[in-house]
Amino acid sequence: MAKPIYVLNGPNLNLLGAREPEVYGRETLDDLRARCERKAAALGFSLEFRQSNHEGELVAWIQEARTDGAGLIVNAGAFTHTSIAMLDALLACSVPSVEVHLSNIFAREPFRHHSYISKAVRGVICGFGPIGYELAIEALAAAIATAKSK
Ligand code: DQA
Protein backbone atom coordinates (compact mmCIF):
# COMPACT_ATOMS: atom_id res chain seq x y z
CA MET A 1 0.00 0.00 0.00
CA ALA A 2 1.24 3.49 -0.89
CA LYS A 3 1.95 5.65 2.13
CA PRO A 4 -0.55 8.45 2.91
CA ILE A 5 0.04 12.18 3.04
CA TYR A 6 -0.34 13.43 6.62
CA VAL A 7 -2.26 16.71 7.07
CA LEU A 8 -1.81 17.91 10.66
CA ASN A 9 -3.82 20.80 12.08
CA GLY A 10 -2.95 22.53 15.33
CA PRO A 11 -4.84 24.32 18.09
CA ASN A 12 -8.23 25.94 17.55
CA LEU A 13 -8.52 24.70 13.97
CA ASN A 14 -11.33 22.43 15.21
CA LEU A 15 -13.32 25.68 15.46
CA LEU A 16 -12.98 26.55 11.76
CA GLY A 17 -16.18 28.02 10.36
CA ALA A 18 -17.17 29.49 13.73
CA ARG A 19 -13.86 31.05 14.76
CA GLU A 20 -13.15 34.58 13.44
CA PRO A 21 -14.81 33.85 10.08
CA GLU A 22 -13.62 37.22 8.73
CA VAL A 23 -10.05 35.87 9.08
CA TYR A 24 -10.43 32.12 8.56
CA GLY A 25 -13.60 31.87 6.45
CA ARG A 26 -16.80 29.85 6.86
CA GLU A 27 -15.50 26.43 5.84
CA THR A 28 -15.43 23.91 8.70
CA LEU A 29 -12.64 21.45 9.45
CA ASP A 30 -14.81 18.67 8.01
CA ASP A 31 -15.27 20.69 4.78
CA LEU A 32 -11.50 21.19 4.67
CA ARG A 33 -10.93 17.48 5.17
CA ALA A 34 -13.29 16.63 2.29
CA ARG A 35 -11.57 19.20 0.05
CA CYS A 36 -8.13 17.72 0.88
CA GLU A 37 -9.35 14.14 0.38
CA ARG A 38 -10.68 15.01 -3.09
CA LYS A 39 -7.43 16.69 -4.09
CA ALA A 40 -5.23 13.90 -2.71
CA ALA A 41 -7.35 11.19 -4.42
CA ALA A 42 -7.05 13.02 -7.76
CA LEU A 43 -3.27 12.82 -7.36
CA GLY A 44 -3.32 9.16 -6.28
CA PHE A 45 -2.76 9.65 -2.54
CA SER A 46 -4.70 8.74 0.57
CA LEU A 47 -4.75 11.09 3.57
CA GLU A 48 -4.25 11.01 7.31
CA PHE A 49 -6.08 14.24 8.22
CA ARG A 50 -5.88 15.11 11.92
CA GLN A 51 -6.33 18.00 14.36
CA SER A 52 -5.11 18.43 17.91
CA ASN A 53 -5.03 21.20 20.49
CA HIS A 54 -2.03 19.53 22.17
CA GLU A 55 1.57 20.22 21.21
CA GLY A 56 2.84 16.80 22.34
CA GLU A 57 0.25 14.98 20.26
CA LEU A 58 1.26 16.98 17.17
CA VAL A 59 4.93 16.13 17.85
CA ALA A 60 4.01 12.42 18.11
CA TRP A 61 2.10 12.61 14.80
CA ILE A 62 5.06 14.28 13.05
CA GLN A 63 7.22 11.41 14.32
CA GLU A 64 4.63 8.94 13.00
CA ALA A 65 4.60 10.65 9.57
CA ARG A 66 8.39 10.30 9.49
CA THR A 67 8.04 6.53 9.19
CA ASP A 68 4.49 5.94 7.97
CA GLY A 69 3.86 8.91 5.65
CA ALA A 70 4.84 9.84 2.08
CA GLY A 71 4.93 13.48 3.11
CA LEU A 72 3.49 15.97 5.56
CA ILE A 73 1.42 19.17 5.54
CA VAL A 74 1.31 21.17 8.77
CA ASN A 75 -0.84 24.05 9.89
CA ALA A 76 0.55 24.39 13.39
CA GLY A 77 -1.86 27.21 14.33
CA ALA A 78 -0.46 29.32 17.15
CA PHE A 79 2.27 26.71 17.83
CA THR A 80 3.83 28.03 14.59
CA HIS A 81 4.98 31.03 16.59
CA THR A 82 6.08 29.23 19.77
CA SER A 83 7.04 25.61 19.24
CA ILE A 84 10.69 24.57 19.16
CA ALA A 85 9.44 21.02 19.85
CA MET A 86 7.54 20.96 16.55
CA LEU A 87 10.58 22.44 14.78
CA ASP A 88 12.79 19.67 16.20
CA ALA A 89 10.28 16.96 15.21
CA LEU A 90 10.16 18.33 11.66
CA LEU A 91 13.96 18.59 11.49
CA ALA A 92 14.09 14.86 12.34
CA CYS A 93 11.56 14.08 9.63
CA SER A 94 13.13 13.23 6.27
CA VAL A 95 9.90 13.05 4.24
CA PRO A 96 9.03 16.29 2.38
CA SER A 97 6.85 18.74 4.29
CA VAL A 98 4.87 21.92 3.60
CA GLU A 99 3.76 24.56 6.11
CA VAL A 100 0.35 26.03 5.41
CA HIS A 101 -1.70 28.87 6.92
CA LEU A 102 -5.19 29.93 5.96
CA SER A 103 -4.47 33.59 6.66
CA ASN A 104 -1.56 35.71 5.45
CA ILE A 105 0.42 35.69 8.70
CA PHE A 106 2.67 38.50 7.39
CA ALA A 107 -0.28 40.85 7.01
CA ARG A 108 -1.32 40.31 10.64
CA GLU A 109 0.07 41.12 14.11
CA PRO A 110 3.90 41.22 14.34
CA PHE A 111 3.98 38.17 16.67
CA ARG A 112 2.58 36.07 13.79
CA HIS A 113 5.36 37.10 11.38
CA HIS A 114 7.86 34.62 12.78
CA SER A 115 7.46 30.88 12.28
CA TYR A 116 9.68 28.49 14.23
CA ILE A 117 8.85 25.65 11.86
CA SER A 118 9.54 27.27 8.45
CA LYS A 119 13.24 26.37 8.73
CA ALA A 120 12.38 22.66 8.62
CA VAL A 121 9.88 22.53 5.74
CA ARG A 122 10.26 22.47 1.95
CA GLY A 123 8.00 25.50 1.49
CA VAL A 124 5.29 27.69 2.97
CA ILE A 125 1.85 28.58 1.57
CA CYS A 126 -0.22 31.22 3.35
CA GLY A 127 -3.03 33.65 2.73
CA PHE A 128 -5.14 31.66 0.26
CA GLY A 129 -7.64 30.16 2.70
CA PRO A 130 -8.63 26.50 2.21
CA ILE A 131 -7.28 26.48 -1.37
CA GLY A 132 -3.83 26.76 0.23
CA TYR A 133 -4.22 23.17 1.48
CA GLU A 134 -4.90 21.99 -2.09
CA LEU A 135 -1.85 23.91 -3.34
CA ALA A 136 0.19 22.30 -0.56
CA ILE A 137 -0.98 18.80 -1.56
CA GLU A 138 -0.05 19.53 -5.18
CA ALA A 139 3.40 20.85 -4.20
CA LEU A 140 3.97 17.91 -1.88
CA ALA A 141 2.95 15.35 -4.54
CA ALA A 142 5.52 16.92 -6.90
CA ALA A 143 8.21 16.83 -4.20
CA ILE A 144 7.42 13.17 -3.43
CA ALA A 145 7.62 12.28 -7.15
CA THR A 146 10.99 14.07 -7.46
CA ALA A 147 12.35 12.31 -4.38
CA LYS A 148 11.26 8.91 -5.80
CA SER A 149 12.91 9.53 -9.17
CA LYS A 150 16.30 10.25 -7.55
C1 DQA B 1 -3.04 30.12 11.35
C2 DQA B 1 -2.32 31.44 11.69
C3 DQA B 1 -1.85 31.43 13.13
O1 DQA B 1 -1.21 32.66 13.44
C4 DQA B 1 -3.02 31.25 14.08
O2 DQA B 1 -2.57 31.17 15.41
C5 DQA B 1 -3.87 30.09 13.74
C6 DQA B 1 -4.16 29.81 12.33
C7 DQA B 1 -3.68 30.16 9.93
O3 DQA B 1 -4.02 29.10 9.42
O4 DQA B 1 -3.84 31.24 9.37
O5 DQA B 1 -4.41 29.41 14.60
O6 DQA B 1 -2.09 29.07 11.37
Side-chain angles (χ1 to χ4, degrees), residues 11 13 19 24 75 77-78 80-81 100-103 105 108 112:
L13 291 166
R19 168 198 188 202
Y24 299 114
N75 183 350
T80 306
H81 318 297
V100 69
H101 300 284
L102 293 155
S103 64
I105 55 174
R108 299 183 64 195
R112 294 186 203 275

Side-chain angles (χ1 to χ4, degrees), residues 122-137:
R122 190 67 66 87
V124 182
I125 295 170
C126 77
F128 295 101
I131 290 167
Y133 279 67
E134 295 187 67
L135 298 173
I137 291 170

